[in-house]
Amino acid sequence: MPTTALEQPARVDEQLCFALYSASKTLTAAYRQALGELGLTYPQYLTMLALWETDGRTVAELGRAIDLDSGTLSPLLRRLETSGLIRRERSVLDERVVRVLLTAQGRALESPAAAARARVEAATCLSQEEFTQLRSLLHRLRTNVAAAQTRLW
Amino acid sequence: MPTTALEQPARVDEQLCFALYSASKTLTAAYRQALGELGLTYPQYLTMLALWETDGRTVAELGRAIDLDSGTLSPLLRRLETSGLIRRERSVLDERVVRVLLTAQGRALESPAAAARARVEAATCLSQEEFTQLRSLLHRLRTNVAAAQTRLW
DNA sequence: TACTATTAGATTGCACACAATCAAATGGAT
DNA sequence: ATCCATTTGATTGTGTGCAATCTAATAGTA
């Protein structure tokens, strides 16, 4: 059945997955440069975004918000804690739960981070409509593929 | 100046960068599952795609095709060589150049890989127009941001 | 009370990703 | 012939990503 697809070998340039993969890496690289002075990596920036939006989330809530599991979050949060941007507090009611809280230093980073974000968004050179359209298509793709994944079990 | 952006904290869900980041991870996860039986990771699949398209590329040519530097490619190619899918051959004319060549086993993987790709693309549930539109927007974003990056130096 | 299943988070191991650095080889200049 | 900048690929170190596993703690059941 896939023989029709094989008569012409699939070009890397034409793959949606590669367009997505390389665009994501390029945007992340732009953020790396923009966030460099703040001492934040891109996933660390996402984590801080989630905390600026709602402080005091648990590790699991954070993971759901930015789609990362504890294997990635644990060392990432440890580094943010070492940097003095957050602190971790074990819940008294349920000692399995760890709440992540911003320090004053972490809150102080919101404004320069917003400036960095503005610079990167400007570099995309997309109109407001294109921006919204792209975000919407990406969201649909993610939802559809994720649904198809879970449907297998 | 960024104070206007700060009156309302930026929501993670609304960030284009996060939509891109999480969509890319989701699609990669779908490929991981689809490629699992073939023993290929997603970056390894991209490498094989580039070789199925044009066999015998040098490491640098491969890196340009799939946007990876030698620090990533070197160990990845070593693993593909260990798996028996490729072999590396140092050029006689210029001994700095290493040419990457498919083995028969590597070529045999093209057809099942195309089937895996078809399954993942079906899972996106995007129409042909949406597919093309999304790819085009991603390509423009990548080009624009990459140009802005290099313009700084 | 004991037994069991579930949950939360941490840890481990493997595979990218990339900056920085290195060694070998080449090409061009004197 | 010798020096020197450049090129090619490999290596090292840090930081994700994620599957698998582990421990501790909680909740439900008999």
Side-chain angles (χ1 to χ4, degrees):
Chain A
M1 295 66 139
T3 43
T4 49
L6 286 179
E7 289 161 16
Q8 290 287 80
R11 287 195 48 188
V12 176
D13 298 4
E14 293 169 355
Q15 305 302 306
L16 178 60
C17 67
F18 177 66
L20 193 48
Y21 173 75
S22 62
S24 178
K25 285 205 306 175
T26 302
L27 201 59
T28 299
Y31 267 104
R32 179 166 38 250
Q33 182 164 50
L35 294 169
E37 310 167 10
L38 306 181
L40 288 178
T41 67
Y42 179 68
Q44 289 170 6
Y45 163 71
L46 277 187
T47 306
M48 295 300 286
L49 264 189
L51 289 174
W52 289 323
E53 184 183 337
T54 309
D55 196 5
R57 300 195 197 211
T58 68
V59 176
E61 285 167 352
L62 259 180
R64 276 190 296 276
I66 61 176
D67 198 19
L68 287 177
D69 72 355
S70 71
T72 301
L73 269 181
S74 275
L76 187 154
L77 292 174
R78 183 173 57 244
R79 281 184 278 272
L80 286 180
E81 192 167 34
T82 303
S83 302
L85 301 179
I86 64 161
R87 61 193 174 83
R88 284 186 282 186
E89 203 172 70
R90 202 162 280 275
S91 165
V92 195
L93 295 130
D94 188 338
E95 294 191 17
R96 293 171 304 179
V97 175
V98 169
R99 212 158 280 283
V100 182
L101 298 142
L102 289 167
T103 62
Q105 197 184 336
R107 276 189 296 274
L109 232 54
E110 186 174 5
S111 177
R117 182 184 118 223
R119 285 199 300 276
V120 174
E121 285 188 359
T124 63
C125 302
L126 294 182
S127 69
Q128 190 60 50
E129 293 98 40
E130 291 172 322
F131 186 98
T132 307
Q133 189 180 43
L134 178 53
R135 195 180 56 188
S136 158
L137 281 169
L138 289 170
H139 189 264
R140 276 192 48 212
L141 180 137
R142 180 191 174 199
T143 305
N144 291 344
V145 174
Q149 285 291 96
T150 55
R151 205 177 299 130
L152 296 173
W153 289 111
Chain B
M1 294 67 131
T3 44
T4 50
L6 287 179
E7 288 160 17
Q8 288 288 79
R11 287 195 47 187
V12 176
D13 298 3
E14 295 169 353
Q15 303 303 305
L16 178 59
C17 66
F18 177 66
L20 193 49
Y21 173 76
S22 62
S24 178
K25 284 205 305 176
T26 303
L27 201 59
T28 300
Y31 267 104
R32 180 167 34 250
Q33 182 163 50
L35 295 169
E37 310 167 9
L38 306 182
L40 288 178
T41 66
Y42 178 68
Q44 288 170 6
Y45 163 71
L46 278 186
T47 305
M48 295 300 285
L49 264 189
L51 289 173
W52 289 323
E53 186 182 334
T54 308
D55 195 6
R57 299 194 198 212
T58 68
V59 176
E61 285 167 352
L62 260 181
R64 274 190 296 275
I66 61 178
D67 198 18
L68 285 178
D69 71 358
S70 71
T72 301
L73 270 180
S74 275
L76 187 154
L77 292 174
R78 183 172 55 244
R79 282 184 278 272
L80 286 179
E81 192 167 34
T82 303
S83 303
L85 302 179
I86 63 160
R87 60 191 175 84
R88 284 187 281 187
E89 202 171 70
R90 200 163 282 275
S91 165
V92 197
L93 294 131
D94 187 339
E95 293 190 17
R96 295 171 303 180
V97 175
V98 170
R99 212 158 280 284
V100 183
L101 297 143
L102 289 167
T103 63
Q105 197 183 337
R107 275 188 297 271
L109 233 53
E110 185 174 7
S111 178
R117 182 184 117 220
R119 285 199 300 277
V120 173
E121 285 187 0
T124 64
C125 302
L126 294 183
S127 70
Q128 191 58 50
E129 293 100 36
E130 290 172 322
F131 187 99
T132 306
Q133 188 179 43
L134 178 53
R135 195 180 56 188
S136 157
L137 281 169
L138 289 170
H139 190 264
R140 276 192 47 211
L141 181 138
R142 179 191 175 200
T143 305
N144 292 344
V145 174
Q149 286 291 93
T150 54
R151 205 177 300 129
L152 296 173
W153 288 113

